[in-house]
Structure formats: C-alpha cells, structure tokens
C-alpha cells in the first residue's frame, strides 16, 4: 500500500504537468543547459498553468493546494533531467517565507507575481565567509528613519541572475548575540545598490543560474523586513525542515530516474551488446532496494510534515542519506553503462553531475550528521 493518498485532483494535476514538461520543457533543456539560463517565458508559462507556488492561498491567485501538489510538481520537473527550472526552490522554499512571515501588504504585493511567474525568487544566506555557520554572516542591515541600509555580499545564490525578489539574511551590527542579530529582508531587483553577478560555470546544474549578489548602501523601506527584527535565524531554522525534505525527495527521484534509464538501456541494446553480468544485476538490485528504502522513509516524513509534526531530525537523516544514496546510484548506473557512460549522449551523465551538489546545499551532509549527533546526546 502506498503511504501517500493522492486524490483524482492530484492525479489530474500530475498529468497536466507531465504533458507540459513533455512539450514545453524537455525539448528545450539542451538549449537551456548551453545558455546557462531558463527563459523567463517558461516560468510565466508554468505560472499561467498553475504549476508554481501551489500552496499559495486563493486570494493571492494560488490554488491553496496541500503539500502533495508540491511533491508532484517537484517529481515531474525532476524527471525532465535538468535542474535549471528551479521551480521547487521558488515555489516551496522561498515563497513560503512570504506566505508564513509576510505582512498583509507584503503578501498582496508579491504573492500573486510569485504564482504567475512574473516574480522569480531567491534566498540569500551564504556569504564568502559564512556557509555552514550562519552566525558568521558579515552582511549588515542598519535600520534608521524608516529605511534599512544593507551592505555585504552573498555567494552561490540559486536563481541569482533571474530573480526579481530576494530574501536576504543580514545582521544588525549593534546586536552582540549573532543569533538574535539576523533579520530577513525582501530586496527587489532594480533597487539602487543591489547588483547581481554573472552565472558561475559549475560542475553541474548548468541551466541553473547560481551567482553572487552584492549590496552596497542598498536602501529599502523598513516595511520590507520579514517579521520582527532579530527573528531571522529562527525563521530560517523553521523553514529548513521543508527544504531538506524536498532535497531528499529530489535525490530519490533522480536516483530512480537513473535506475529506470539504465534498465531500459540494458534491455534495449540489442543482441550485439555485452551480456549483463551477474554482478551488474546485483548492483541494480541493490540500487533499487536503496531507492525503495529512501522513498518509503521520505513518504513517511511527507505524511508527518503534512500533519505539522516536527521531523527536523529525521529530515536531516533523510537529506544526508538520500543525497549520498543518489550519488552511489549514479556511480553504479554509469559503471554499468560502460564506455557509453563517459559520453554526453548518455543522459545520466548530466544527472551524475547535477546531483553532486545535493550533499552540499540545503546544509551539508556533515552538518546534517552534526544535528542528528546532537540529538543523540553527542
Ligand atoms: C549549487 C549550489 C546552490 C546553492 N544555492 C544557495 C542559495 O540559493 N542560497 C544560499 O544561501 N546558499 C546556497 N548555496 C550555498 C550552500 O548553502 C553552502 O555551500 C553550504 O551551506 C555550505 O557552505 P560552504 O560551501 O561555505 O562550506 P563550509 O561551511 O565552508 O564547509 C566546508 C566543508 O566543511 C564541512 N564543515 C563545515 N562545518 C562543519 C562542522 N561544524 N562539522 C563538520 N563539518 C563541517 C562542510 O560539511 C564541508 O564539507 C548553494 C550551494 C551550491 C553548491
């Protein structure tokens, strides 16, 4: 029995999105990979068709769907075997900050655009000197006379080139406690003093624009602060459960994609192809078993997350284990493909490159283990 119960409405949504991906995404992925960018028109098409920000309330143009719509949206886009259309980051990681913590005016101003794809979002925590340890943030936000002046720089920000709105974490330089010093601010593209870098040339995720962001005396109205001053660190921690759960899910979906592709390849190579040795069969069985285990764990966590339970510790376990598992699966599948697995014609070469980032972002796997070890009393 499947742990997750999808309704006919969920299934219809999946079919519509699959059809969209088949016609409007997959045929263009190679071009986006080459250009290191997904055109804005695709975000807008996604939005017009109701595939972005599915949890946003109806009053802001969303469909007010449950978390299973987010799961489906992630799964279907992931199956197109690219990572540029970072819709789950926009829909289910960044926009929820505005949904949960935004004032009524902020929600009115931004949420509708997030749903339509006219506003693409990013979240900027990481800095050249602050990755795993957010308390080391050096970007400052000084509030005075109804304005906030932000100074500092951010690095490795997903959607950095294409974003219209960034949730920025910055510190009050006068607050001695680093955890109480962080606040979150909404900064719009085009604000004087806010500059975007150019997209990095990365090992993988070629169609996704990851870049630096710079803030030099960047002035925004104080109304653009998300929630109370000094509440940023707690807000970031609260939202990490969903972020890590989605990355773990993504890892399992990618592993399954590689396994299915490899099995099809082996079965359809024709009679001249090398025989699949017993060892390769066993490797495939082991990979299939790991994927099943990962998926079962994730589905359980999805159910608990939907019930509003605190599963932060288990989500940390899932994030590290599933992202490592996906990388193990990639190695196995490429080994089995032999020399073909060294060529760009082999689709799982791209997956292999892309998933290398999964143990790093959303909190590194070492940090995930630190979180779990702490809960275990170490
Ligand atoms: C493709 C990509 C997209 C990203 N997108 C975003 C984004 O949209 N927004 C954003 O804010 N950031 C983003 N990041 C940044 C990401 O969150 C950081 O890379 C991550 O938090 C790790 O920080 P770091 O790279 O500075 O590594 P560091 O923190 O310097 O760590 C280096 C190594 O030391 C280990 N380490 C560090 N501290 C400990 C410890 N206490 N115990 C044990 N080991 C430790 C780490 O696990 C790692 O192996 C992205 C990164 C990548 C690669």
């Amino acid at each position: 029995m499947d742990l997750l119960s999808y309704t006919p409405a969920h299934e219809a949504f999946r079919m519509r999105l699959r059809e969209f991906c088949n016609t409007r995404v997959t045929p263009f992925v190679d071009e986006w990979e080459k250009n290191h960018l997904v055109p804005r028109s695709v975000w807008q098409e996604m939005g017009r068709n109701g595939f972005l920000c599915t949890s946003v309330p109806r009053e802001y143009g969303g469909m007010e769907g449950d978390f299973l719509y987010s799961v489906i949206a992630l799964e279907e886009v992931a199956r197109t075997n690219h990572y540029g259309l970072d819709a789950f980051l926009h829909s289910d990681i960044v926009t929820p900050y505005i949904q949960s913590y935004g004032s009524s005016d902020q929600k009115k101003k931004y949420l509708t655009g997030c749903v339509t794809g006219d506003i693409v979002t990013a979240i900027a925590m990481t800095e050249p000197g602050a990755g795993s340890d957010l308390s080391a943030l050096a970007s400052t936000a000084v509030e005075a006379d109804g304005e906030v002046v932000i100074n500092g720089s951010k690095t490795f920000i997903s959607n950095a080139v294409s974003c219209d709105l960034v949730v920025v974490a910055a510190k009050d330089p006068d607050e001695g406690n680093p955890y109480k010093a962080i606040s979150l601010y909404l900064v719009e593209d085009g604000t004087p003093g806010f500059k975007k870098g150019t997209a990095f040339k990365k090992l993988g995720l070629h169609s996704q624009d990851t870049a630096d962001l710079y803030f030099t005396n960047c002035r925004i109205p104080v109304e653009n602060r998300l929630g109370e001053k000094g509440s940023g660190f707690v807000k970031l921690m609260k939202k990490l459960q969903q972020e890590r759960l989605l990355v773990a899910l993504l890892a399992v979906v990618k592993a399954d994609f590689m396994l299915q592709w490899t099995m099809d390849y082996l079965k359809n190579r024709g009679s001249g192809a090398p025989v699949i040795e017993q060892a390769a069969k066993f490797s495939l069985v082991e990979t299939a078993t790991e994927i099943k285990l990962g998926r079962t764990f994730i589905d359980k966590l999805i159910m608990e997350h939907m019930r509003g339970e605190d599963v932060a510790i288990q989500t940390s376990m899932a994030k590290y284990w599933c992202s490592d598992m996906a990388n193990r699966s990639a190695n196995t599948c490429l080994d089995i493909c032999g020399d073909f697995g060294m060529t760009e014609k082999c689709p799982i070469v791209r997956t292999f490159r892309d998933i290398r980032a999964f143990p790093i972002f959303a909190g590194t796997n070492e940090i995930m283990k630190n979180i779990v070890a702490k809960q275990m009393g170490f």
Side-chain angles (χ1 to χ4, degrees):
M1 191 189 81
D2 285 338
L3 290 175
L4 304 179
S5 341
Y6 293 103
T7 63
H10 289 123
E11 294 302 351
F13 176 80
R14 184 188 292 285
M15 286 306 126
R16 275 201 315 116
L17 178 52
R18 187 168 293 179
E19 173 60 19
F20 179 86
C21 286
N22 287 342
T23 54
R24 305 300 304 150
V25 177
T26 304
F28 304 99
V29 162
D30 288 347
E31 190 185 319
W32 302 343
E33 289 274 301
K34 220 181 301 158
N35 297 340
H36 296 279
L37 200 68
V38 174
R40 170 55 58 100
S41 57
V42 182
W43 285 94
Q44 288 164 328
E45 273 190 78
M46 285 278 288
R48 273 204 299 280
N49 283 284
F51 300 136
L52 295 177
C53 304
T54 50
S55 64
V56 165
R58 286 182 199 283
E59 61 181 304
Y60 305 111
M63 62 183 279
E64 216 165 320
D66 63 19
F67 188 60
L68 289 182
Y69 285 97
S70 307
V71 169
I72 294 168
L74 178 148
E75 288 174 338
E76 293 305 317
V77 175
R79 290 199 170 102
T80 62
N81 193 26
H82 87 293
Y83 194 95
L85 186 55
D86 209 348
F88 89 98
L89 173 79
H90 165 71
S91 299
D92 298 302
I93 295 177
V94 190
T95 303
Y97 279 90
I98 306 172
Q99 282 173 246
S100 301
Y101 306 125
S103 64
S104 159
D105 284 348
Q106 287 168 343
K107 289 181 189 178
K108 275 192 212 134
K109 190 168 179 194
Y110 298 119
L111 285 181
T112 307
C114 292
V115 172
T116 58
D118 292 317
I119 294 177
V120 171
T121 57
I123 183 155
M125 297 176 265
T126 307
E127 297 180 359
S132 298
D133 180 10
L134 278 183
S135 70
L137 288 189
S139 293
T140 56
V142 176
E143 299 190 12
D145 304 325
E147 279 195 325
V148 185
V149 184
I150 303 180
N151 277 291
S153 65
K154 299 288 177 179
T155 193
F156 269 95
I157 307 307
S158 306
N159 289 347
V161 178
S162 47
C163 70
D164 307 281
L165 185 68
V166 197
V167 175
V168 181
K171 258 182 181 172
D172 172 359
D174 295 328
E175 170 57 61
N177 180 338
Y179 299 102
K180 288 190 182 159
I182 300 174
S183 301
L184 302 180
Y185 299 94
L186 293 165
V187 179
E188 295 176 19
D189 185 24
T191 307
F194 170 39
K195 203 169 143 259
K196 297 171 170 181
T198 47
F200 297 157
K201 289 198 169 119
K202 305 187 294 299
L203 166 72
L205 313 174
H206 288 170
S207 46
Q208 194 229 39
D209 48 311
T210 314
D212 290 331
L213 296 177
Y214 308 98
F215 302 89
T216 311
N217 291 325
C218 173
R219 287 176 182 274
I220 56 168
V222 78
E223 289 77 33
N224 278 28
R225 190 182 63 222
L226 264 179
E228 292 297 300
K229 192 174 174 192
S231 66
F233 187 78
V234 173
K235 287 183 168 48
L236 291 169
M237 292 304 115
K238 280 194 181 153
K239 287 291 175 202
L240 283 174
Q241 173 166 305
Q242 178 153 313
E243 176 170 349
R244 288 171 182 162
L245 179 54
L246 290 170
V247 171
L249 170 66
L250 186 60
V252 174
V253 174
K254 293 283 183 185
D256 191 45
F257 167 81
M258 290 184 286
L259 175 70
Q260 299 306 327
W261 187 88
T262 306
M263 292 198 302
D264 285 349
Y265 171 69
L266 291 173
K267 288 174 187 169
N268 298 317
R269 279 190 312 181
S271 56
V275 177
I276 313 171
E277 298 298 340
Q278 189 71 0
K281 286 185 201 163
F282 284 4
S283 296
L284 287 173
V285 170
E286 285 158 15
T287 300
T289 307
E290 288 205 297
I291 292 169
K292 199 56 137 181
L293 283 170
R295 184 68 213 218
T296 308
F297 187 23
I298 299 292
D299 284 354
K300 172 186 166 291
L301 291 176
I302 290 171
M303 279 174 21
E304 291 164 347
H305 181 67
M306 288 177 75
R307 289 200 295 258
E309 294 175 22
D310 179 350
V311 285
I313 301 296
Q314 292 186 60
T315 305
S316 304
M317 292 174 173
K319 192 270 171 181
Y320 102 73
W321 191 84
C322 294
S323 57
D324 281 350
M325 182 273 286
N327 279 280
R328 283 195 296 279
S329 306
N331 263 328
T332 301
C333 292
L334 281 183
D335 277 346
I336 290 173
C337 289
D339 51 9
F340 184 57
M342 279 298 290
T343 68
E344 289 292 331
K345 280 188 182 158
C346 176
I348 56 177
V349 166
R350 180 184 296 156
T351 330
F352 171 82
R353 283 196 299 252
D354 287 355
I355 61 172
R356 190 59 191 85
F358 292 12
I360 302 169
F361 57 35
T364 69
N365 284 3
E366 290 75 24
I367 296 300
M368 297 303 99
K369 289 176 194 173
N370 270 348
I371 292 170
V372 180
K374 198 167 167 199
Q375 193 267 343
M376 289 164 76
F378 298 108

